[in-house]
């Protein structure tokens, strides 16, 4: 059986987790998990991060409704990064854009490449 | 003009960067950049990380030939994570698998979902 303790966490006990939309392949966001957040994500099927600013579990979408249903959790070759394949409801970003990566660098300037969803 | 110093780096002066293949949408890997690695990536068009273990710049593919040509660099809403859209030559992973995320958790077990490329 997979044990969340077998992953490599940083000095703060955290591991980065990339969320990717299962069908479109969009990279939605990156946030952090601790060991218990990994366990909760796997047991509940709801992607659950650790909020570094609030120092609390962050069940994605719990207040906004923009939940991330876990399709599959993957880990990298160094066991120090996670990739959550998800079914995202609505926007992933707090700016109401589909992805947090809505700013591109083009010709040395920051360009917004995504508008908020209705 | 975009200034790499305007990004938010962690206590070690690093920012995580996700590499995604431009056409297939595959998430290939996550590695770290410091301010100079961001600048070098943008100026050279070759994705350049900061190796935490070697404490040196890491021009991806410099020794293996498995380079990452930068298509576009994006940043997230918090300015503390980067998404590099790349044209990956060969495998991104040192195990010769296309992506470093070649292990999935299925029914509580670790399953290899990708084989090394020839």
């Amino acid at each position: 059986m997979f044990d969340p303790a077998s992953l490599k966490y940083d000095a703060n006990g955290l591991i980065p987790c990339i969320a990717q939309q299962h069908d479109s392949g969009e990279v939605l966001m990156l946030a952090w998990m601790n060991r218990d957040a990994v366990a909760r994500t796997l047991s509940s099927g709801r992607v659950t991060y650790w909020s570094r600013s609030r120092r609390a579990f962050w069940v994605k979408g719990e207040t906004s409704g923009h939940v991330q249903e876990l399709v599959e959790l993957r880990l990298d070759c160094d066991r120090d990064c996670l990739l959550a394949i998800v079914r995202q409801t609505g926007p992933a970003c707090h700016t109401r854009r589909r992805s947090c990566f809505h700013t591109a660098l083009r010709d040395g300037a920051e360009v917004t490449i995504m508008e908020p969803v209705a």
Side-chain angles (χ1 to χ4, degrees), chain A:
Chain A
M1 282 294 289
F2 170 75
D3 180 357
S6 70
L7 298 173
K8 287 184 199 151
Y9 299 88
D10 70 11
N12 298 312
L14 300 174
I15 187 170
C17 180
I18 303 158
Q20 183 180 33
Q21 172 68 11
H22 73 104
D23 49 4
S24 66
E26 290 164 287
V27 173
L28 300 170
M29 58 183 283
L30 178 140
W32 297 79
M33 292 185 180
N34 59 15
R35 195 171 60 182
D36 287 346
V38 174
R40 286 177 183 223
T41 296
L42 288 168
S43 63
S44 69
R46 283 285 176 91
V47 180
T48 302
Y49 302 102
W50 177 258
S51 168
R52 296 175 298 173
S53 55
R54 290 188 290 108
R55 304 191 65 78
F57 290 109
W58 166 26
V59 182
K60 174 68 181 165
E62 198 172 37
T63 53
S64 65
H66 302 146
V67 297
Q68 289 180 345
E69 184 189 340
L70 183 69
V71 173
E72 184 167 88
L73 195 62
R74 298 180 187 163
L75 45 117
D76 81 344
C77 49
D78 292 331
R79 306 182 74 83
D80 64 0
C81 185
L82 296 171
L83 175 63
I85 309 296
V86 306
R87 190 172 289 113
Q88 169 75 49
T89 299
C93 185
H94 73 286
T95 66
R96 297 194 62 86
R97 291 176 174 87
R98 179 71 177 167
S99 161
C100 293
F101 296 95
H102 49 72
T103 305
L105 300 178
R106 292 182 181 168
D107 299 324
E110 297 186 20
V111 179
T112 300
I113 57 171
M114 225 171 280
E115 293 308 315
V117 294

